[in-house]
């Protein structure tokens, strides 16, 4: 449990440091937003500085910081897949999640297509909370069949729902950018190419942060 908690704290801080829209005022403020103690955040920043990734609160090596984040991925994830033929239209699949009152964040193909439109969104994937798994299962099996298909829900095991972003005025929610890039890299092939493109944009945006 201690290892999981430490990994969660590290992930949260790395996600915030790699967020082009967030500029921490201080290490104390960063710690508060990440949900950890100031002493823990200060210790981590010092370690990142020794690795040449940070200088105080300035990210000097965004790509190296992302690689550190990517290396913390859990090896196994609890997930379930469904075939929902009546929801083959991407917009309808997105609406399925947007209209839900449960916490979620889209990732991989569908999320990349919304942001960058490089990949064909042949599969809709979303992170969900563990406590919502059975409720999602009931809802999705009522709409289609269970086991393989165009919809996949993944139980958040490494704080993947942290700092999720809302796209547009009414959603949908997407995972934070480091998480999306990491998930696409794990897919490999064309998804890996899309991940490299997004990472290049992220590195540039983080370097341009004031």
């Amino acid at each position: 449990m201690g290892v999981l908690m430490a990994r969660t704290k590290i992930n949260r801080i790395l996600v915030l440091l790699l967020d082009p829209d967030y500029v921490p005022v201080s290490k104390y403020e960063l710690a508060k937003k990440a949900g950890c103690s100031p002493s823990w955040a200060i210790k981590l920043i010092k370690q990142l500085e020794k690795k040449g990734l940070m200088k105080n609160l300035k990210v000097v090596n965004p790509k190296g910081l992302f690689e550190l984040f990517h290396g913390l991925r859990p090896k196994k994830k609890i997930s379930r897949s469904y075939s929902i033929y009546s929801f083959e239209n991407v917009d309808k699949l997105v609406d399925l999640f947007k209209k839900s009152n449960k916490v979620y964040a889209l990732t991989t193909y569908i999320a990349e297509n919304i942001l960058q439109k490089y990949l064909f969104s042949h599969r809709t994937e979303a992170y969900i909370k563990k406590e919502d798994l059975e409720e999602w299962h009931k809802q999705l099996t009522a709409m289609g069949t269970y086991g393989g298909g165009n919809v996949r829900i993944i139980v958040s095991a490494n704080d993947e729902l942290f700092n999720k972003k809302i796209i547009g005025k009414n959603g949908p929610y997407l995972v934070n950018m480091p998480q999306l890039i990491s998930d696409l890299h794990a897919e490999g092939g064309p998804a890996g190419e899309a991940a490299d493109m997004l990472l290049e944009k992220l590195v540039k945006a983080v370097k341009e942060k004031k």
Side-chain angles (χ1 to χ4, degrees):
M1 185 67 177
V3 174
L4 179 60
M5 287 298 293
R7 188 170 62 186
T8 296
K9 292 177 183 178
I10 295 172
N11 275 3
R12 283 190 168 209
I13 290 178
L14 295 181
V15 163
L16 291 173
L17 292 174
L18 288 169
D19 186 345
D21 300 321
Y22 172 66
V23 179
V25 176
S26 67
K27 293 172 185 175
Y28 295 93
E29 192 259 350
L30 174 65
K32 182 178 180 181
K33 193 171 180 67
C36 65
S37 67
S39 61
W40 205 96
I42 291 170
K43 181 180 179 181
L44 178 59
I45 294 297
K46 286 182 178 179
Q47 292 175 347
L48 296 176
E49 286 181 319
K50 288 180 180 180
K51 292 178 180 291
L53 303 174
M54 303 281 300
K55 186 175 182 180
N56 196 15
L57 285 172
K58 176 68 176 178
V59 178
V60 296
N61 187 349
K63 187 174 182 180
L65 210 63
F66 166 76
E67 289 172 351
L68 180 59
F69 173 87
H70 184 60
L72 293 171
R73 287 179 63 86
K75 294 182 179 180
K76 294 183 179 180
K77 296 182 179 182
I78 299 173
S79 66
R80 294 182 182 179
S81 297
Y82 307 83
S83 292
I84 304 181
Y85 301 106
S86 61
F87 281 83
E88 288 178 350
N89 182 283
V90 173
D91 292 335
K92 291 181 179 179
L93 281 169
V94 171
D95 284 341
L96 171 68
F97 287 93
K98 284 171 59 177
K99 292 177 181 178
S100 171
N101 60 359
K102 295 178 282 295
V103 177
Y104 74 91
L106 302 177
T107 189
T108 61
Y109 299 93
I110 182 66
E112 189 281 337
N113 184 271
I114 290 171
L115 286 178
Q116 189 172 240
K117 300 191 184 303
Y118 181 71
L119 299 174
F120 172 66
S121 53
H122 66 282
R123 189 167 74 236
T124 297
E125 293 188 313
Y127 284 101
I128 63 165
K129 287 187 173 183
K130 184 177 181 179
E131 56 265 33
D132 294 332
L133 178 60
E134 293 308 317
E135 185 61 34
W136 275 112
H137 182 70
K138 289 179 183 177
Q139 185 176 352
L140 292 172
T141 51
M143 296 177 176
T145 55
Y146 174 44
N150 58 346
V151 180
R152 182 176 177 235
I153 51 174
I154 311 163
V155 173
S156 176
N158 207 30
D159 224 15
E160 292 91 350
L161 292 166
F162 177 70
N163 206 40
K164 64 185 185 297
K165 302 292 185 179
I166 190 168
I167 303 300
K169 190 174 181 179
N170 299 310
Y173 282 103
L174 307 187
V175 291
N176 62 71
M177 189 61 71
Q179 187 64 53
L180 174 56
I181 296 171
S182 179
D183 289 342
L184 289 169
H185 265 304
E187 288 285 314
E193 295 176 21
D196 288 337
M197 293 165 63
L198 287 171
L199 180 56
E200 184 177 342
K201 294 175 183 177
L202 179 63
V203 167
K204 181 179 179 182
V206 173
K207 285 183 176 180
E208 291 175 349
K209 279 203 299 185
K210 296 180 179 180

